Amino acid sequence: MKCIAYVSRAPIKDRSIRMPSGLSDIISVSSKHNPQSHITGIISYREGQYLQVLEGPDIEVDKLMAKISSDTRHENIWVFLNKSVTERSFRNWGISVFDFVDQGTFFDDFIEKNSVVLNSFDEQQTKRIQPFFDIHKSNTASQKDYKGKSLKLLAWPDLNHVSNPQMIMDLCVKLTKKPYPFDTLVASGEFGSSPQVTEIINGFDQSGILSVTETQPLDEPKVNEKKPNKFYGAIKKFLGMR
């Protein structure tokens, strides 16, 4: 199963205004076709742009996206998310025309799962997506305190949608084999400051690929007590030292 999310512009019509030509047809066809193809998600239109999220079987989602890409009712398509998923953020097919989609609680799960991607947008990308939902809302989401915790990855994130894939890959290597102390990650300075490391780890956590446990105290090395040598013991006894 996969998820594709994109933003597209409506074609410019008379008086240089972008109008949602055929919007009613898009909604009608989507409402009928998508449930039949086991595709769920959301479609919205604001300020001359469409936002659509598609979730479902890989083949069906790719086929639908190919049709959308060749549809003249869409221009300047920007696919900002294209990844495999194990569970849906949207249980049904929804329509949220002329509204901020993030006003619905159903969208919170989608934002949380993809916060790493959303937070990596540059200024231009952020401005384009802003009519639909406030990225800063996901930026200010509460973050956990991982101090004193050990971290272990259950799966790797999609490295195609991160701003520094090599660094994230190096971090993933550390967190894959066995639980790794968060405090040690911060102390190394290899992955940035404590807030920066926390933000990355929080993204893993929200994506459901992180295991967090209490850091176990280090076992103090046992000192092997040497058994007294019988020969030297006998000498000490002879000399009256014992």
Side-chain angles (χ1 to χ4, degrees):
M1 187 166 63
K2 75 184 310 181
C3 173
I4 288 181
Y6 73 89
V7 174
S8 67
R9 299 190 190 281
I12 295 178
K13 295 296 183 181
D14 297 336
R15 301 179 183 177
S16 301
I17 298 176
R18 295 186 183 276
M19 297 294 292
S21 302
L23 177 58
S24 59
D25 290 337
I26 292 175
I27 293 175
S28 176
V29 172
S30 298
S31 299
K32 180 180 179 181
H33 171 270
N34 290 354
Q36 291 177 349
S37 301
H38 304 288
I39 293 176
T40 59
I42 185 74
I43 184 171
S44 183
Y45 178 86
R46 280 191 67 84
E47 300 180 13
Q49 292 194 112
Y50 295 100
L51 166 71
Q52 189 161 196
V53 180
L54 306 171
E55 296 177 329
D58 291 32
I59 296 178
E60 296 297 333
V61 171
D62 286 337
K63 283 170 55 180
L64 179 54
M65 193 63 222
K67 290 182 180 179
I68 293 171
S69 299
S70 60
D71 192 331
T72 57
R73 293 172 296 186
H74 297 274
E75 293 181 350
N76 194 10
I77 297 177
W78 168 38
V79 177
F80 63 86
L81 192 68
N82 186 343
K83 69 174 188 177
S84 297
V85 294
T86 56
E87 60 181 3
R88 300 174 188 264
S89 296
F90 302 90
R91 295 182 180 180
N92 303 300
W93 176 251
I95 301 166
S96 183
V97 182
F98 305 116
D99 290 326
F100 285 94
V101 292
D102 68 346
Q103 288 179 352
T105 56
F106 56 82
F107 206 73
D108 292 341
D109 185 43
F110 176 79
I111 293 178
E112 289 182 7
K113 286 180 179 178
N114 300 289
S115 61
V116 174
V117 176
L118 300 178
N119 293 339
S120 69
F121 288 170
D122 59 28
E123 184 177 353
Q124 184 177 358
Q125 292 170 327
T126 301
K127 186 177 180 180
R128 185 168 181 188
I129 206 80
Q130 197 72 29
F132 298 100
F133 60 89
D134 187 2
I135 290 179
H136 298 297
K137 176 180 177 180
S138 61
N139 285 338
T140 57
S142 60
Q143 293 185 336
K144 293 182 179 179
D145 184 3
Y146 298 100
K147 292 180 181 179
K149 307 291 185 181
S150 287
L151 316 170
K152 186 177 186 299
L153 277 183
L154 306 176
W156 278 36
D158 184 356
L159 298 176
N160 292 317
H161 299 284
V162 296
S163 57
N164 193 337
Q166 184 58 55
M167 185 190 74
I168 299 299
M169 184 182 298
D170 293 340
L171 176 59
C172 290
V173 170
K174 284 187 179 293
L175 301 181
T176 297
K177 294 183 180 180
K178 60 181 180 180
Y180 200 93
F182 171 81
D183 297 338
T184 304
L185 286 177
V186 174
S188 70
E190 185 178 354
F191 306 102
S193 63
S194 179
Q196 291 171 326
V197 176
T198 299
E199 183 177 349
I200 298 172
I201 297 301
N202 193 58
F204 293 163
D205 203 354
Q206 291 180 350
S207 298
I209 60 174
L210 185 73
S211 171
V212 182
T213 57
E214 295 291 337
T215 299
Q216 298 297 320
L218 295 175
D219 294 330
E220 296 184 1
K222 295 181 179 180
V223 179
N224 294 325
E225 297 182 358
K226 295 183 179 179
K227 294 182 179 180
N229 186 289
K230 292 183 178 180
F231 173 77
Y232 287 106
I235 294 296
K236 288 181 179 181
K237 185 176 182 181
F238 175 75
L239 294 175
M241 296 175 62
R242 53 178 290 186

